[in-house]
Amino acid sequence: MFALIDCNNFYASCERVFNPGLNGQPVVVLSNNDSCVIARSNEAKALGIPMGAPAFKIKELLRKHNIHVFSSNYTLYGDMGAWVMNILGNYSPELEVYSIDEIFLKLEGFDLFDLTAYGHKMIEVVKRSTGIPISVGIAPTKSLAKVANKIAKKFPERTRGAYLMQTPDQIEKGLKWTQIGDVWGIGRQYAKKLQNIQVFNAWQFTNLPDEYVRKELSVVGLRLKRDLSGEATLDLEDVAKKKNIAVTRSF
């Protein structure tokens, strides 16, 4: 089993840690030179602030809704990300830090664990220790853990931030819910190609013939198809022991 843990609206959440008065308020973070939106709180998303929007084009919208705007502070975000990863490294000796705010954990030997409760424990400890909210997706493969994480984040009332996708029925339902353009590893051009042959979700993608996928999406696409089908073909990259995780400014 694999777990993917992702920090929610990470840059905006970091700003809230140091200004709790922003909780419940719309927040956006801008890229270098305050050019484009690179992070939004859920409240800002609900107001229709698009990701990547040039700041000058939405200036009136930001003012109208009294949205709190911050310039990016990558030193702060790097330190906060490393802090979160350090804590999550305590939950498995095998891990892959995928990005500043995402980490895969390999949960081998956890057969007797209640993995949903384990995910909720991660959420509780990270929130209490750092103030950063996270979502946890757990599934038999890395790509399925990505899908489970999206479900956990999309339906927080039902999942409380952690979702275990394990049974065939759960996997089928999750894959049918996932649009092909949202599949991890499927870029825009491949998504268009698949949509042209009436493949609109991840479940339809897993039912394509291996020969077609290998020809059109290469061996990488075939590995992804098999991984989404529940056959673990994508393992952790550069597996690091948790003792090697360090909080540094160059993390």
Side-chain angles (χ1 to χ4, degrees), residues 201-212:
N201 61 48
W203 175 253
Q204 293 170 327
F205 174 65
T206 61
N207 284 285
L208 288 173
D210 283 358
E211 298 77 13
Y212 174 85

Side-chain angles (χ1 to χ4, degrees), residues 5 87-88 90-91 113-129 134 136 138 159-162:
I5 301 94
I87 293 169
L88 292 172
N90 292 315
Y91 290 88
F113 279 64
D114 180 336
L115 293 179
T116 302
Y118 202 57
H120 287 144
K121 184 65 175 178
M122 295 181 204
I123 293 170
E124 175 193 345
V125 172
V126 170
K127 180 67 173 178
R128 184 176 68 242
S129 302
I134 62 173
V136 182
I138 304 172
T159 65
R160 291 172 41 224

Side-chain angles (χ1 to χ4, degrees), residues 57-151:
K57 287 189 176 182
I58 59 170
K59 187 176 181 180
E60 182 57 30
L61 189 60
L62 296 172
R63 185 199 62 77
K64 177 182 177 181
H65 294 291
N66 194 29
I67 296 173
H68 302 271
V69 181
F70 291 88
S71 299
S72 52
N73 183 342
Y74 296 114
T75 299
L76 169 65
Y77 307 150
D79 287 346
M80 292 296 292
W83 189 8
V84 171
M85 300 307 154
N86 222 349
I87 293 169
L88 292 172
N90 292 315
Y91 290 88
S92 174
E94 294 184 278
L95 56 88
E96 174 193 339
V97 177
Y98 185 67
S99 70
I100 190 174
D101 64 341
E102 289 181 281
I103 185 173
F104 283 103
L105 302 181
K106 196 169 187 178
L107 302 177
E108 284 192 347
F110 285 70
D111 297 349
L112 300 181
F113 279 64
D114 180 336
L115 293 179
T116 302
Y118 202 57
H120 287 144
K121 184 65 175 178
M122 295 181 204
I123 293 170
E124 175 193 345
V125 172
V126 170
K127 180 67 173 178
R128 184 176 68 242
S129 302
T130 70
I132 299 293
I134 62 173
S135 296
V136 182
I138 304 172
T141 71
K142 287 177 73 176
S143 58
L144 288 175
K146 272 275 192 180
V147 173
N149 182 276
K150 286 182 179 292
I151 293 172

Side-chain angles (χ1 to χ4, degrees), residues 185-205:
I186 297 291
R188 185 176 302 175
Q189 294 303 316
Y190 280 143
K192 287 182 179 179
K193 180 180 291 189
L194 291 168
Q195 288 165 354
N196 287 336
I197 61 166
Q198 305 301 301
V199 172
F200 299 107
N201 61 48
W203 175 253
Q204 293 170 327
F205 174 65

Side-chain angles (χ1 to χ4, degrees), residues 204-248:
Q204 293 170 327
F205 174 65
T206 61
N207 284 285
L208 288 173
D210 283 358
E211 298 77 13
Y212 174 85
V213 175
R214 185 185 182 100
K215 178 182 177 182
E216 299 295 334
L217 279 76
S218 79
V219 68
V220 175
L222 182 58
R223 287 176 187 155
L224 174 60
K225 173 186 178 290
R226 291 175 175 172
D227 206 70
L228 283 169
S229 300
E231 179 186 341
T233 58
L234 305 175
D235 207 346
L236 299 183
E237 297 180 10
D238 298 323
V239 175
K241 298 299 182 182
K242 61 183 178 181
K243 65 182 180 182
N244 291 333
I245 297 295
V247 181
T248 69

